[in-house]
Amino acid sequence: MSQDLRRRLFDELESIALIDPHTHINALQPAAVSLADILGYHYYTELAHSSGLARERIEEPGLSAKEKVARIVGSLAPLENTIQYSWFVELAQVLLGFKDDRLTPNNWEALFNAAHQQMAQPDWSAKVMKQSKLEAVILTNDFDDPLAGWDTRVFVPCLRTDDLVFHFAKSSVQERLQRASGIAVKNAATMRQAIGKLFQHFTSKNCKLCAISLPPDFSPTKVDAASADRAVQAALESGGTISAAHRRDLSNFVFWMLTEFCAEFRLPFDLMIGVNKAVYPGGVYQGQDLFDSRTSLVQYLELLNAFPQVVFPISVLASVTNQELMTFAWIFPNVRTKGHWWYSNVPVYIEHDASARLEAVPWTKQIGYYSDMYKLEFALPKFRMYKRILAKILAERFVINRGWSEDRALTLGRDVLRNNVDRVFFGKTG
Amino acid sequence: MSQDLRRRLFDELESIALIDPHTHINALQPAAVSLADILGYHYYTELAHSSGLARERIEEPGLSAKEKVARIVGSLAPLENTIQYSWFVELAQVLLGFKDDRLTPNNWEALFNAAHQQMAQPDWSAKVMKQSKLEAVILTNDFDDPLAGWDTRVFVPCLRTDDLVFHFAKSSVQERLQRASGIAVKNAATMRQAIGKLFQHFTSKNCKLCAISLPPDFSPTKVDAASADRAVQAALESGGTISAAHRRDLSNFVFWMLTEFCAEFRLPFDLMIGVNKAVYPGGVYQGQDLFDSRTSLVQYLELLNAFPQVVFPISVLASVTNQELMTFAWIFPNVRTKGHWWYSNVPVYIEHDASARLEAVPWTKQIGYYSDMYKLEFALPKFRMYKRILAKILAERFVINRGWSEDRALTLGRDVLRNNVDRVFFGKTG
Amino acid sequence: MSQDLRRRLFDELESIALIDPHTHINALQPAAVSLADILGYHYYTELAHSSGLARERIEEPGLSAKEKVARIVGSLAPLENTIQYSWFVELAQVLLGFKDDRLTPNNWEALFNAAHQQMAQPDWSAKVMKQSKLEAVILTNDFDDPLAGWDTRVFVPCLRTDDLVFHFAKSSVQERLQRASGIAVKNAATMRQAIGKLFQHFTSKNCKLCAISLPPDFSPTKVDAASADRAVQAALESGGTISAAHRRDLSNFVFWMLTEFCAEFRLPFDLMIGVNKAVYPGGVYQGQDLFDSRTSLVQYLELLNAFPQVVFPISVLASVTNQELMTFAWIFPNVRTKGHWWYSNVPVYIEHDASARLEAVPWTKQIGYYSDMYKLEFALPKFRMYKRILAKILAERFVINRGWSEDRALTLGRDVLRNNVDRVFFGKTG
């Protein structure tokens, strides 16, 4: 009975048109062009590598798409239990007509060829979006992205700011900022002018949020003007090397300034908290990062108190930080819970974390899910995974445990799955 | 089948008469006098505020009870998913005859008026206690509470000591201590005399425990006599300001002394570990506190080892600390697990945490639940929430997974729900 | 239906022959000789002690086995809810023909006598292993164990190295090393020679891994040769006392060297991370240790990066560290997840932690369970507990949630329960 109920709720959730509130889609090339774009996703390369496939085999220069897929397929067997593998199988079955439930050395080539053909159709992206019920996706754009050449109502820009906050000591970043803003940064004041230009440009192109990913030890604080100036000077003169103290002041200064611009331009500031970059340097591309569970949202108290007018959708990388996130959204008017990020995007953790939010955070403040995808094909299986879990939570915790009607439970489901994306990023009310 | 089993177990648990082992009830005014006392509970004001209602609207001076309720009701819709909201609906339905399942701008006034009438009946408190099967509740009394004017067998005193441990540098606290004890504190020795008087007074009035809430970075240690004296002197001469070192010594000295008095007077010392006070100063009354998940019971090792004769019922604020609590109760004879506090008082966390305790801590050492309520009306829905979860755990983890009879499971349920309160605080054996 | 499915899967898992990949079995006396060996297990003595039984009653010198059991039985009632107690009942019922479901002052003596008789049979160990479907167990051997007198294919040696890493400043440890290796340690170089001899000896006796348990604050790093030499000198001349800095250098030096030998001898290095030893000195034997949840695998990044050629099966003591373990195994080719250790060996934590691993770590990299037992009798109930949970996870998360066939789910179960032990420790492939 509980399983029938879950299925009914899932079927209803499946009918909802989606806006994916965080992706890494390239708007100029949103869908895959071959199976190598699918199986080259870091979830597969890193798991294949951690199961024994050498990085050099995966990342060999000049490797054809077909040979790359052949090599990865040869190392997929150890992954067949993983939820990540299930994403692949589900998208292959639904979008590509794959009939099996495993990809093996015996059946991959047929799928590769069929995919190649389908992906070459001019309407492939549109078809994938339609089958996935995707109305729009929010992108992750470099601060110097021209944001030209696509419909920004469908592929909605997002100003990603990691480079500005953490890598401004690199001359390449300085040069990119000058080119993008038309302003030569000489000090803190001109840096503020330059970044202001970015916000003008981005918001003129339908940008709906600013975003950043943050290491576990980051604890933003307001720095005084003199320290900010010294840090900017140090970065400009550094040739890439800069003292730890200057680096910290610089990050804090830029981060705080970005938040001020978010206030001025009325943009939510998406905080993705907890990633330790490049801790396994021997890993494959995008498969070198982990987290540290000894992180706390306490590190963000000064920020959240200083900017009551800025909305902060927050993602945490560690499930053990989710209860803090729940309580911060419970208490702070300017906090939103957002999705289940990366290493917490695993069913057992999604269920535990989403249950807590659904039971104790006002429903208006919860953005249920985002795909984090690089290619459109992944929205379908990732959102389905989430919707199955959401259906389970609604069935068990609301219909069964609390006596709600299915309709009432579905209203809650619709809000966290879709309507709150409109509320938080597109200013819709009611 | 599993749901029928859960219901049968719940129905049996419902028949148990309760003593609520931790509340903030005012014994001279234990029940609500209007719906404003119910919806003015910080769980509603803070969630309404975090959903968009300005603090100034809620806390406007001179606001009538009716207008306050009207304003809160106008902001309740975003909370309807929360378990906190379900407490309100269940108490309104069971205690006040409310027929709907939502409180809205259309139906609140009738409930307000009906509540006003019922709460004005002279036997309202008694009626609520009877319907809630509450035999007694343990209070939270300021150290200078005269403890007069009520039946202390029903409203049982508890000596709350936060002010003494953390705020003795304030002259107001010093004056309250002098008034309450009749002793002028001049140094560590006279402070001990004064506090000893408090213990005499409280235990003469049926006080059954000493209690305190503790910040996440507190790590009690014994300080030497000279440091204690210097810290007390500093507090007496401070006019409210005191160095961090003196403050730490003072807190440690007073805390340790309180524990010594608990040993002498044979009182359990209730430790509520992990709250970060006033971290959101813009929040509503009682809605400004959060926690830090980077807390460990390791900080209490010196204390637990030094006082084997003192029983320490322990509450933790973070679910991620619950496994430590489970193991401390598993190993230390003087530790008891106590309830599901505040931000962990959410079904998904209660189930996870209570399951661990029921599976690995001797049943004699577990105090299942307390309401933490300010008004008697909340015992019913909060305990019911817990009992539903307890019934689920007993059904799934004991009857189904371990083949226990329902009777045996209920015996365990009765012990953690009621009998252990008698064992720990009222000295009953067997 | 779900319960029938769980039962069917459990029954199939029950048919699998096991190798227990971590135990403290004494190969010369692997099974209990009386019920005192069973109820003397620290799980019972520490829980009885924490429920009120004085340590002195349990550890009184000269106590007979029978009297010891009588005393423990008198304090077992408070433990009847615990999963630890259920292990006892299940082993007594299955292995010893016990007919009741509780051991009480009224029925214990009959069981004691029956057990005494059965355990005196010369084939008792073999019988227990057969009933438990145990083909072999991996031991925990002191570094100076002669490893003689038993079949090392059944009782497989493991080089346990805590003493070398953490206690080499003790002259007793220095003397044991000299005796075992035949080499007088004078400096870092001769220490390396001595430890090399141990690896030669152990691997010549079918040793399949090196192992160590580690405190929560350990963070291994490579020390330079001069520091290593000074630390070894300090230890040799210390008479047991050594500065904190030398102690740290010494531990790091020895630990790093052991890892180098693991590389040279192609042994996995089993890391059991997180135990705080002797934090409750008043506790019973082996019942004085706890953990600190503020531990992170981040502390092992340098090690894991430095030794890609060494396989590290990792156990974590805190369930809150399990997500880190999951991600480390997901990313690092040389990490394996191993079992559910000690304070995380409780059903609610096993289910949460194992689910995460099964959903996101390649199946080839997971060693599902070990018993950690001191006497053979405990393999049966501990593995059954795990298999019931594994059956539940396979039923709910794979067959129901993901539509797997029961056969496919069982294949996964067989791999984590048995085949991966062969893969990781016995070099079997495929």
Side-chain angles (χ1 to χ4, degrees):
Chain A
M1 194 192 78
S2 155
Q3 282 171 242
D4 293 342
L5 171 60
R6 283 165 60 180
R7 186 178 315 272
R8 280 197 306 278
L9 294 172
F10 173 76
D11 288 344
E12 291 295 325
L13 294 174
E14 270 286 271
S15 69
I16 300 170
L18 301 170
I19 294 178
D20 189 335
H22 174 63
T23 76
H24 294 269
I25 291 294
N26 173 0
L28 299 173
Q29 181 65 271
V33 300
S34 87
L35 214 54
D37 284 343
I38 302 294
L39 285 174
Y41 195 16
H42 70 82
Y43 285 93
Y44 305 111
T45 55
E46 72 202 12
L47 284 165
H49 171 61
S50 100
S51 303
L53 183 60
R55 179 177 65 172
E56 294 70 24
R57 295 278 297 163
I58 302 170
E59 301 183 351
E60 187 178 322
L63 203 59
S64 72
K66 194 157 188 174
E67 177 58 19
K68 184 173 184 175
V69 170
R71 290 183 184 180
I72 293 171
V73 167
S75 293
L76 281 183
L79 283 56
E80 288 179 357
N81 60 302
T82 66
I83 198 72
Q84 300 93 322
Y85 186 86
S86 79
W87 302 335
F88 170 77
V89 172
E90 186 153 19
L91 81 82
Q93 290 175 341
V94 177
L95 299 176
L96 300 169
F98 187 53
K99 300 295 184 201
D100 298 331
D101 57 8
R102 285 178 165 97
L103 193 70
T104 71
N106 295 323
N107 66 6
W108 75 271
E109 202 165 356
L111 181 66
F112 183 92
N113 293 334
H116 198 73
Q117 210 164 22
Q118 294 177 72
M119 291 169 178
Q121 302 296 320
D123 65 345
W124 175 246
S125 286
K127 197 175 150 195
V128 171
M129 289 190 74
K130 191 173 172 202
Q131 272 198 275
S132 311
K133 291 205 179 310
L134 267 184
E135 291 187 353
V137 303
I138 294 181
L139 309 173
T140 296
N141 301 95
D142 284 340
F143 68 82
D144 56 341
D145 191 318
L147 306 177
W150 72 82
D151 182 346
T152 58
R153 292 165 306 176
V154 176
F155 296 104
V156 182
C158 158
L159 173 56
R160 182 70 172 237
T161 57
D162 304 41
D163 285 345
L164 295 169
V165 172
F166 296 111
H167 303 297
F168 188 71
K170 294 180 186 170
S171 59
S172 60
V173 175
Q174 296 165 15
E175 288 156 17
R176 286 168 55 206
L177 178 59
Q178 177 162 351
R179 265 199 310 276
S181 67
I183 289 174
V185 173
K186 302 289 186 198
N187 49 36
T190 44
M191 188 172 186
R192 186 179 292 273
Q193 288 172 15
I195 290 179
K197 289 283 183 192
L198 304 182
F199 275 81
Q200 287 170 5
H201 171 64
F202 268 74
T203 51
S204 77
K205 298 289 189 181
N206 202 37
C207 170
K208 293 299 181 193
L209 73 161
C210 184
I212 189 167
S213 78
L214 299 154
D217 62 350
F218 190 61
S219 186
T221 188
K222 186 174 166 66
V223 295
D224 62 81
S227 301
D229 252 327
R230 280 194 298 271
V232 173
Q233 287 303 331
L236 293 170
E237 297 160 6
S238 72
T241 58
I242 179 172
S243 73
H246 279 148
R247 181 182 299 280
R248 194 172 49 242
D249 282 349
L250 184 62
S251 291
N252 279 319
F253 167 64
V254 179
F255 184 83
W256 210 263
M257 177 174 40
L258 290 168
T259 316
E260 289 164 345
F261 279 119
C262 285
E264 184 181 333
F265 286 85
R266 295 169 178 268
L267 291 184
F269 197 176
D270 227 45
L271 309 181
M272 309 184 74
I273 295 173
V275 61
N276 254 335
K277 294 273 188 190
V279 294
Y280 170 43
V284 298
Y285 175 65
Q286 296 183 328
Q288 308 182 354
D289 309 336
L290 287 162
F291 67 94
D292 186 330
S293 55
R294 297 164 304 179
T295 305
S296 174
L297 295 185
V298 167
Q299 298 162 209
Y300 292 84
L301 283 170
E302 183 183 344
L303 178 79
L304 297 173
N305 279 301
F307 292 96
Q309 73 277 46
V310 175
V311 169
F312 294 97
I314 296 180
S315 298
V316 291
L317 196 41
S319 176
V320 290
T321 317
N322 182 69
Q323 192 190 5
E324 284 191 358
L325 178 56
M326 172 194 86
T327 61
F328 274 64
W330 166 342
I331 291 295
F332 277 98
N334 52 345
V335 171
R336 302 292 176 276
T337 62
K338 187 172 180 192
H340 300 274
W341 188 28
W342 199 346
Y343 293 123
S344 286
N345 189 27
V346 170
V348 67
Y349 293 124
I350 296 173
E351 184 175 346
H352 196 64
D353 298 348
S355 293
R357 298 178 196 174
L358 289 166
E359 289 183 337
V361 174
W363 56 266
T364 48
K365 303 183 73 183
Q366 303 183 44
I367 299 163
Y369 195 70
Y370 52 81
S371 75
D372 216 358
M373 64 185 169
Y374 287 75
K375 292 295 171 188
L376 286 177
E377 287 82 353
F378 282 97
L380 185 137
K382 286 186 162 189
F383 270 96
R384 278 198 183 175
M385 171 188 71
Y386 174 71
K387 286 184 275 193
R388 288 186 186 106
I389 297 165
L390 180 59
K392 182 171 190 286
I393 295 170
L394 293 174
E396 294 177 356
R397 296 186 174 274
F398 290 85
V399 177
I400 294 176
N401 292 1
R402 285 165 64 179
W404 281 29
S405 70
E406 294 182 37
D407 273 353
R408 186 173 178 187
L410 283 167
T411 301
L412 175 58
R414 268 182 217 107
D415 278 304
V416 303
L417 191 55
R418 167 61 197 264
N419 297 340
N420 290 340
V421 177
D422 294 316
R423 285 187 180 95
V424 173
F425 300 111
F426 298 94
K428 294 197 188 137
T429 53
Chain B
M1 195 193 79
S2 156
Q3 282 172 243
D4 293 341
L5 172 59
R6 283 165 60 181
R7 186 179 314 272
R8 281 197 305 278
L9 294 172
F10 173 76
D11 288 344
E12 291 294 324
L13 295 174
E14 269 287 271
S15 69
I16 299 169
L18 301 170
I19 294 177
D20 189 335
H22 174 61
T23 77
H24 294 269
I25 291 293
N26 172 359
L28 299 173
Q29 181 66 271
V33 299
S34 86
L35 213 54
D37 284 344
I38 301 295
L39 286 173
Y41 195 17
H42 69 83
Y43 285 94
Y44 304 111
T45 55
E46 72 202 11
L47 284 166
H49 171 60
S50 100
S51 303
L53 183 59
R55 180 178 64 172
E56 294 70 23
R57 295 278 297 162
I58 301 170
E59 300 183 351
E60 187 179 321
L63 203 59
S64 72
K66 195 157 187 174
E67 176 59 20
K68 185 173 183 175
V69 170
R71 290 182 184 182
I72 294 170
V73 167
S75 293
L76 280 183
L79 284 55
E80 288 179 357
N81 62 301
T82 65
I83 198 71
Q84 300 94 321
Y85 186 85
S86 79
W87 302 335
F88 170 77
V89 173
E90 185 152 19
L91 81 82
Q93 291 174 340
V94 178
L95 299 176
L96 300 169
F98 187 54
K99 300 294 184 204
D100 298 331
D101 58 7
R102 285 177 165 97
L103 192 69
T104 71
N106 295 324
N107 66 6
W108 74 270
E109 202 166 353
L111 182 66
F112 183 90
N113 293 334
H116 198 74
Q117 211 165 23
Q118 294 177 72
M119 290 169 177
Q121 302 295 320
D123 65 343
W124 176 247
S125 286
K127 199 175 150 194
V128 171
M129 289 189 73
K130 192 174 170 198
Q131 273 197 276
S132 311
K133 290 207 179 314
L134 267 185
E135 290 187 352
V137 303
I138 293 181
L139 310 174
T140 295
N141 302 95
D142 284 339
F143 69 81
D144 56 341
D145 190 318
L147 307 176
W150 71 81
D151 182 346
T152 59
R153 291 165 307 176
V154 177
F155 296 103
V156 182
C158 158
L159 173 56
R160 183 71 171 236
T161 56
D162 305 42
D163 286 344
L164 295 168
V165 172
F166 295 111
H167 303 296
F168 187 71
K170 295 180 186 169
S171 58
S172 60
V173 175
Q174 296 166 16
E175 288 157 17
R176 286 168 53 206
L177 179 58
Q178 177 162 350
R179 266 200 309 276
S181 67
I183 289 173
V185 173
K186 303 290 187 196
N187 50 36
T190 44
M191 189 172 185
R192 185 178 292 272
Q193 288 173 14
I195 290 179
K197 289 284 183 191
L198 304 182
F199 274 81
Q200 286 170 7
H201 170 63
F202 267 75
T203 51
S204 77
K205 298 289 189 180
N206 202 36
C207 170
K208 293 301 181 191
L209 72 161
C210 185
I212 189 167
S213 79
L214 299 154
D217 63 349
F218 190 63
S219 187
T221 187
K222 187 174 167 65
V223 297
D224 62 80
S227 301
D229 253 326
R230 280 193 299 273
V232 173
Q233 286 304 329
L236 293 171
E237 296 159 6
S238 71
T241 58
I242 179 172
S243 73
H246 278 147
R247 184 182 297 279
R248 193 171 52 242
D249 282 349
L250 184 63
S251 292
N252 279 320
F253 167 63
V254 179
F255 184 84
W256 211 262
M257 178 176 36
L258 289 169
T259 316
E260 289 164 345
F261 278 120
C262 285
E264 185 182 332
F265 285 85
R266 296 170 177 269
L267 291 184
F269 197 176
D270 227 45
L271 308 182
M272 309 184 76
I273 295 173
V275 62
N276 254 336
K277 293 274 187 190
V279 293
Y280 171 42
V284 298
Y285 176 65
Q286 295 184 330
Q288 309 182 354
D289 308 336
L290 288 162
F291 67 94
D292 186 330
S293 55
R294 298 165 303 179
T295 305
S296 175
L297 295 185
V298 166
Q299 299 162 210
Y300 292 84
L301 283 171
E302 182 184 345
L303 178 81
L304 298 173
N305 278 301
F307 292 96
Q309 74 279 43
V310 175
V311 169
F312 295 96
I314 296 180
S315 299
V316 291
L317 196 42
S319 176
V320 290
T321 317
N322 181 69
Q323 192 189 6
E324 284 191 359
L325 178 56
M326 172 193 87
T327 60
F328 273 64
W330 166 340
I331 292 295
F332 277 99
N334 52 345
V335 172
R336 302 292 176 276
T337 62
K338 186 172 180 191
H340 300 274
W341 188 28
W342 200 346
Y343 293 121
S344 286
N345 189 28
V346 170
V348 67
Y349 293 124
I350 296 172
E351 185 175 344
H352 196 65
D353 297 347
S355 293
R357 298 178 196 174
L358 289 165
E359 289 183 338
V361 174
W363 55 267
T364 48
K365 303 184 74 183
Q366 304 184 44
I367 299 163
Y369 196 70
Y370 53 82
S371 75
D372 216 357
M373 65 185 167
Y374 286 76
K375 293 294 171 188
L376 286 177
E377 286 83 353
F378 281 98
L380 185 138
K382 286 186 160 189
F383 269 96
R384 278 198 183 175
M385 170 187 72
Y386 175 71
K387 285 183 277 192
R388 289 187 185 105
I389 298 164
L390 180 59
K392 181 171 190 285
I393 296 170
L394 294 174
E396 294 177 357
R397 296 188 174 272
F398 289 85
V399 177
I400 294 175
N401 292 1
R402 284 164 67 180
W404 282 29
S405 70
E406 294 182 37
D407 273 353
R408 187 173 177 187
L410 284 168
T411 301
L412 175 58
R414 267 181 217 109
D415 278 304
V416 302
L417 190 56
R418 167 60 197 264
N419 297 340
N420 290 340
V421 177
D422 295 316
R423 284 185 180 97
V424 173
F425 299 111
F426 298 93
K428 294 197 187 137
T429 53
Chain C
M1 193 193 82
S2 156
Q3 281 171 243
D4 292 341
L5 171 59
R6 283 166 60 180
R7 187 179 313 272
R8 282 198 304 278
L9 293 172
F10 173 76
D11 288 344
E12 290 295 325
L13 294 173
E14 269 287 271
S15 70
I16 299 169
L18 301 169
I19 294 178
D20 190 335
H22 174 62
T23 77
H24 294 269
I25 291 294
N26 173 359
L28 299 173
Q29 182 67 272
V33 300
S34 87
L35 214 54
D37 284 344
I38 302 294
L39 286 174
Y41 195 16
H42 68 83
Y43 285 94
Y44 305 110
T45 55
E46 71 203 12
L47 284 166
H49 171 61
S50 99
S51 304
L53 184 59
R55 178 177 67 173
E56 294 70 22
R57 295 278 297 162
I58 301 170
E59 300 183 351
E60 187 180 321
L63 203 58
S64 72
K66 193 157 190 175
E67 177 59 19
K68 184 173 184 175
V69 170
R71 291 182 183 181
I72 294 170
V73 167
S75 294
L76 280 183
L79 284 55
E80 288 179 357
N81 60 300
T82 66
I83 198 71
Q84 301 92 323
Y85 186 86
S86 80
W87 302 335
F88 170 76
V89 172
E90 186 152 19
L91 83 82
Q93 289 174 341
V94 177
L95 298 176
L96 300 169
F98 186 54
K99 300 295 183 202
D100 299 330
D101 57 8
R102 285 177 165 98
L103 193 69
T104 71
N106 294 324
N107 66 7
W108 74 269
E109 202 165 355
L111 181 66
F112 183 91
N113 293 335
H116 197 75
Q117 209 164 23
Q118 292 177 73
M119 291 168 177
Q121 302 296 320
D123 65 343
W124 176 247
S125 287
K127 198 177 150 194
V128 170
M129 289 189 74
K130 192 174 171 199
Q131 272 198 275
S132 312
K133 290 208 178 312
L134 267 184
E135 290 187 352
V137 303
I138 293 181
L139 309 174
T140 296
N141 302 95
D142 285 339
F143 68 81
D144 56 341
D145 190 319
L147 307 176
W150 72 82
D151 183 346
T152 58
R153 291 165 308 176
V154 177
F155 296 104
V156 182
C158 157
L159 173 56
R160 181 71 171 235
T161 57
D162 305 40
D163 285 344
L164 295 168
V165 172
F166 296 110
H167 303 296
F168 187 72
K170 294 180 186 168
S171 59
S172 60
V173 175
Q174 295 166 16
E175 288 157 16
R176 287 168 53 206
L177 178 57
Q178 177 160 351
R179 265 200 308 277
S181 67
I183 289 174
V185 173
K186 303 289 187 198
N187 49 36
T190 45
M191 189 172 184
R192 186 178 293 273
Q193 288 173 16
I195 290 179
K197 288 285 182 189
L198 304 182
F199 274 82
Q200 287 171 7
H201 170 63
F202 267 75
T203 51
S204 78
K205 298 290 188 179
N206 201 38
C207 170
K208 293 299 180 192
L209 73 161
C210 185
I212 189 167
S213 78
L214 299 155
D217 62 350
F218 191 62
S219 186
T221 188
K222 186 173 167 68
V223 296
D224 62 81
S227 301
D229 251 326
R230 280 194 299 271
V232 173
Q233 286 304 330
L236 293 170
E237 296 159 6
S238 71
T241 57
I242 179 172
S243 74
H246 278 147
R247 183 181 298 280
R248 193 171 51 242
D249 281 350
L250 184 63
S251 291
N252 279 320
F253 167 64
V254 179
F255 184 84
W256 211 263
M257 176 174 41
L258 289 169
T259 316
E260 289 164 344
F261 278 120
C262 284
E264 184 181 333
F265 285 85
R266 297 169 176 269
L267 291 185
F269 197 176
D270 227 45
L271 309 182
M272 308 183 76
I273 295 173
V275 63
N276 254 336
K277 293 273 189 190
V279 293
Y280 171 42
V284 299
Y285 176 66
Q286 295 183 329
Q288 308 181 355
D289 309 335
L290 287 161
F291 67 94
D292 186 330
S293 54
R294 298 164 304 179
T295 304
S296 175
L297 296 185
V298 167
Q299 298 162 210
Y300 292 84
L301 283 171
E302 182 183 347
L303 178 80
L304 298 173
N305 279 301
F307 292 96
Q309 74 277 45
V310 175
V311 169
F312 295 96
I314 296 181
S315 299
V316 291
L317 196 41
S319 176
V320 290
T321 317
N322 182 68
Q323 192 190 4
E324 283 191 358
L325 178 55
M326 172 193 86
T327 60
F328 274 64
W330 166 340
I331 291 295
F332 277 99
N334 52 346
V335 171
R336 301 292 177 277
T337 63
K338 186 173 180 192
H340 301 274
W341 188 29
W342 200 344
Y343 293 121
S344 286
N345 188 29
V346 169
V348 68
Y349 294 124
I350 297 173
E351 185 175 345
H352 196 64
D353 297 348
S355 293
R357 298 178 196 173
L358 289 165
E359 289 182 338
V361 174
W363 57 266
T364 48
K365 302 183 75 182
Q366 304 183 45
I367 299 162
Y369 196 70
Y370 53 82
S371 74
D372 216 359
M373 65 185 169
Y374 286 76
K375 292 295 171 187
L376 286 177
E377 287 82 354
F378 281 96
L380 184 138
K382 286 185 162 190
F383 270 96
R384 278 198 182 175
M385 172 188 70
Y386 174 72
K387 285 183 277 193
R388 288 187 186 104
I389 297 165
L390 180 58
K392 181 170 190 286
I393 295 170
L394 294 174
E396 294 177 356
R397 297 187 173 273
F398 291 84
V399 176
I400 294 176
N401 293 2
R402 286 165 64 179
W404 281 29
S405 70
E406 293 182 37
D407 273 354
R408 186 172 178 187
L410 284 167
T411 301
L412 175 56
R414 266 181 218 109
D415 278 304
V416 302
L417 191 56
R418 168 58 198 264
N419 297 340
N420 290 341
V421 177
D422 295 316
R423 285 187 180 94
V424 174
F425 300 110
F426 297 94
K428 297 201 186 135
T429 54

